[in-house]
Amino acid sequence: MPRHSSLSTLLGLLFFALSPLLWADDPLLDSPTPTATQSGERQVRGVLRALNQAVLSSELPGRIIEMPFSDGQDFNKGDVLVRFDCSAYQAQLNAAQAATRATREELNHKKQLAALNSVGRFEVALAEARQAQAQAETQVYQVQVKRCSVVAPFNGRVVLRRAQPHESVASGTPLLDVVDNGTLEIYLLVPSSWLSRLQQGQTFDFTPDETGKPLKATVKRLGARIDEGSQTLLLIGSLSDDAKGLLAGMSGTAQFQVTE
């Protein structure tokens, strides 16, 4: 047998013998199936996500004059999180309100003259149209002035400030990432074969890696479709009211009692 053929055969046998060890460290080859325990439990990994979370953006261009909350600080619903310099918009609103008062007086005067047959119906209708236009312009500026303050939509905490006071930003610029850690849900990917064994209201245990403390949880709802590639189904669970000290993004292990 030629020397190169023997060498090729030897290398092939060596690769075949070592291939399980090489593949064992590849995370892409990990099986998505759950871990089974001797007590009949099935374990799957999950993560905590907040029901209320948002990236708050600027609704108008302007200069930031106040951002009272820093990263990690708590706030309440209705608190002003960002305030813009609103002097120009306020001046426009004042002018529009003055124009509205003027058109209202003009309309009243035209109606008095019409009652004396001094002006026709056309003059009254024209005054009514001018008043409606002035009122509409006032409403536009009222909306702009209201947008000069970004108000907290829920109780929560600042995750990240994306802008700083004294900066001038464009409309649509992200300003703050906020999250409400009081509305956490558990997101799990469970095998689709569990579908017939899972139902809304079913209880299970969830243990966050960061705390190591088992928590009681309940199946809140199931996903709308099964992933064709991994054959898994989204399961969303709710935590008990006494679950404290948890943060969005925590990961952990869920344990289900699955009967065969």
Side-chain angles (χ1 to χ4, degrees):
M1 179 181 296
R3 178 178 298 179
H4 71 276
S5 178
S6 300
L7 182 58
S8 299
T9 302
L10 180 59
L11 291 176
L13 292 174
L14 182 60
F15 178 79
F16 180 79
L18 294 178
S19 58
L21 297 177
L22 297 174
W23 295 343
D25 294 332
D26 189 350
L28 298 178
L29 299 178
D30 289 343
S31 173
T33 57
T35 303
T37 63
Q38 294 180 354
S39 59
E41 293 180 342
R42 295 294 185 270
Q43 299 180 349
V44 291
R45 298 288 295 171
V47 66
L48 295 180
R49 293 184 182 177
L51 182 62
N52 295 332
Q53 56 182 337
V55 178
L56 304 180
S57 301
S58 169
E59 296 187 76
L60 47 78
R63 182 175 61 87
I64 300 172
I65 59 175
E66 184 182 9
M67 295 184 74
F69 296 93
S70 299
D71 297 354
Q73 283 191 306
D74 295 326
F75 55 81
N76 296 319
K77 182 178 180 179
D79 286 346
V80 175
L81 303 180
V82 184
R83 193 186 304 276
F84 289 89
D85 180 6
C86 208
S87 55
Y89 296 108
Q90 186 63 53
Q92 291 173 328
L93 175 60
N94 294 340
Q97 289 174 336
T100 300
R101 291 192 297 270
T103 55
R104 182 170 60 248
E105 293 297 328
E106 180 187 7
L107 177 60
N108 292 335
H109 180 64
K110 293 292 184 182
K111 286 182 177 179
Q112 291 175 357
L113 293 177
L116 300 174
N117 294 323
S118 297
V119 296
R121 179 59 188 167
F122 174 76
E123 294 292 336
V124 175
L126 193 61
E128 289 176 342
R130 283 195 289 264
Q131 184 190 33
Q133 180 181 3
Q135 289 176 338
E137 291 177 353
T138 299
Q139 291 175 350
V140 170
Y141 292 125
Q142 285 175 338
V143 171
Q144 291 180 335
V145 169
K146 185 178 180 180
R147 290 176 176 176
C148 288
S149 298
V150 179
V151 178
F154 46 75
N155 297 336
R157 181 179 297 180
V158 176
V159 178
L160 177 65
R161 288 207 322 190
R162 295 173 176 259
Q164 301 298 329
H166 313 298
E167 291 182 354
S168 295
V169 298
S171 177
T173 301
L175 303 174
L176 288 171
D177 292 6
V178 295
V179 65
D180 179 8
N181 287 315
T183 60
L184 297 178
E185 295 179 328
I186 307 171
Y187 275 63
L188 306 168
L189 287 178
V190 300
S192 58
S193 59
W194 288 13
L195 181 59
S196 61
R197 307 185 184 108
L198 296 174
Q199 57 184 352
Q200 188 174 357
Q202 181 177 343
T203 59
F204 63 95
D205 292 332
F206 181 77
T207 305
D209 297 338
E210 291 78 3
T211 66
K213 180 182 177 181
L215 302 171
K216 293 297 182 182
T218 305
V219 176
K220 188 174 183 179
R221 61 186 183 275
L222 298 175
R225 60 175 294 177
I226 294 173
D227 184 78
E228 299 174 357
S230 62
Q231 289 298 295
T232 55
L233 174 69
L234 175 65
L235 183 150
I236 300 174
S238 58
L239 294 164
S240 58
D241 295 335
D242 59 350
K244 304 297 182 182
L246 302 176
L247 300 176
M250 285 184 172
S251 57
T253 301
Q255 295 181 335
F256 290 82
Q257 290 289 346
V258 180
T259 58
E260 301 297 340

